[in-house]
Amino acid sequence: MKKSVYLALAATLASLSLPTSLLAKDSKAGGVEFSGNVDVVTGWQHDDGASTDGPAGAFPRQAGGSCSFGAGGLGCNAADGAGAGSGQLGDFRGLAAPNRDTYNFYLDQVELDLQKSFGENIRLRADLDFGRFLSGTGRVTQTGQNFNLEQGYVTTNLPFGKGIELMVGRFNAPIGLESVDRADNMAVSFSNVYRYLRPHNLTGAKAYYAFNDNFDWSLYVVNNLIDVISTTVGTDSAIPSYGTRFGFTWGSVGKESTVGFSYAGGPEQFGNNAHLTNILDLDFNIHIGDKFTLGGEGIYRQDNVTSAFAGFPNSKGFGGFLLLGFSPSDTWNIYFRYGYLHDVNPTAAYTGVDQQINDFSLGAGYQITDGAKVKVEYRLDLHNYSAAAAAALTGNDRSSLQNALSAEFAYNF
């Protein structure tokens, strides 16, 4: 008996001494495949004397409105922790404030992805995101928690035409250019349209059909676009939200160019099925020769108010960004991004302030080895406030600047 125990202990110690990447690639327990990533960001950000993200809870419809001021965050994606504050590091450090300086190390996420197939027709997937609230992680479902179920779904193929993939559960929203996983994006920071206007994760059902190698279509029905349900009697929605995306792909393997047209909408205001949210989105990523890429996104969002808030205008926001990438070698890349966001109406439903934001980012990435990459980025955000917002929040200063410099260390296994 003792001999078998010693042998088992020795085998365990030997497995622990193997390289992590080898263990990860070969890890299969009962047919379950493991993968994931560890993502760490460090950086400095300075908010000038007129910087503000507005008072938390300033939005007049927060209790039942279309956008949620979740604990610790503004914007329409509070369930995922995104849009907590403005500037390059706003996802981690929280709201901007006059003359605020911070320098910190942030644990963005530790993600463990589990996948299991049942024959050729059924597949299970779960993306488990772990963090530490006191390390600034944005992968939290609410204040104080350090876990977010990014995805959890089952897929099956329906025998129609070339085959329809049907997905049921929680999944990444098929809209926009940027991935919800920071490590998979070219830039270190997220764009402002991603933070404040675009859905991230959804719970419901999605159908995907590829007509051919160049054209595909996604159609989905979900609880709502911020993925937060109400359990209060009288605020339930009798109609789900919905969306679709038409995708076009062309080019050689590894250098595919893509264009996507998306629409999403529905009754996003709890307890009201007549006043709808509408989102239109265009995303693209085009290869120009062997070394250049041009990516971008444009989005328009409108949340129509209910009669309970008569006198308030419908909430409107729009914006976009352009991302130019240059890869001089297989290990290096350089990028420049310009972004624009306009939170149109005095309700300031998306950013907390009636404003326009122009942001400029310059960065570079280096592939250390397979699965390991480091990125550095400088970012400048220029805020232009409305006269009313300036009078109420900034002492009549109509503009503010935020400067930031950061580095990201991402390890995929």
Side-chain angles (χ1 to χ4, degrees), residues 171-187:
F171 48 86
N172 297 152
I175 181 173
L177 181 66
E178 293 167 281
S179 168
V180 299
D181 292 320
R182 188 187 307 269
D184 294 336
N185 295 323
M186 181 179 294

Side-chain angles (χ1 to χ4, degrees), residues 66 266-269 272-278 303-308 314:
S66 57
E268 291 294 295
Q269 300 173 84
N272 191 291
N273 298 313
H275 298 267
L276 303 179
T277 288
N278 294 288
D303 295 273
N304 297 323
V305 302
T306 69
S307 58
N314 295 328

Side-chain angles (χ1 to χ4, degrees), residues 390-411:
L393 300 173
T394 67
N396 289 317
D397 286 329
R398 294 292 300 275
S399 65
S400 69
L401 286 173
Q402 294 165 327
N403 287 277
L405 181 65
S406 67
E408 177 188 9
F409 303 88
Y411 306 90

Side-chain angles (χ1 to χ4, degrees), residues 290-360:
D290 294 331
K291 298 183 181 297
F292 289 91
T293 59
L294 179 64
E297 183 175 352
I299 188 171
Y300 174 83
R301 176 169 182 151
Q302 179 168 322
D303 295 273
N304 297 323
V305 302
T306 69
S307 58
F309 300 97
F312 288 102
N314 295 328
S315 299
K316 300 175 184 177
F318 63 88
F321 66 87
L322 290 173
L323 176 64
L324 178 63
F326 171 61
S327 300
S329 69
D330 292 337
T331 56
W332 282 97
N333 76 284
I334 301 169
Y335 65 87
F336 173 77
R337 182 181 65 194
Y338 165 72
Y340 173 79
L341 175 70
H342 189 181
D343 199 346
V344 177
N345 289 310
T347 52
Y350 310 111
T351 65
V353 182
D354 182 11
Q355 65 177 318
Q356 300 179 60
I357 309 174
N358 292 273
D359 64 272
F360 307 84

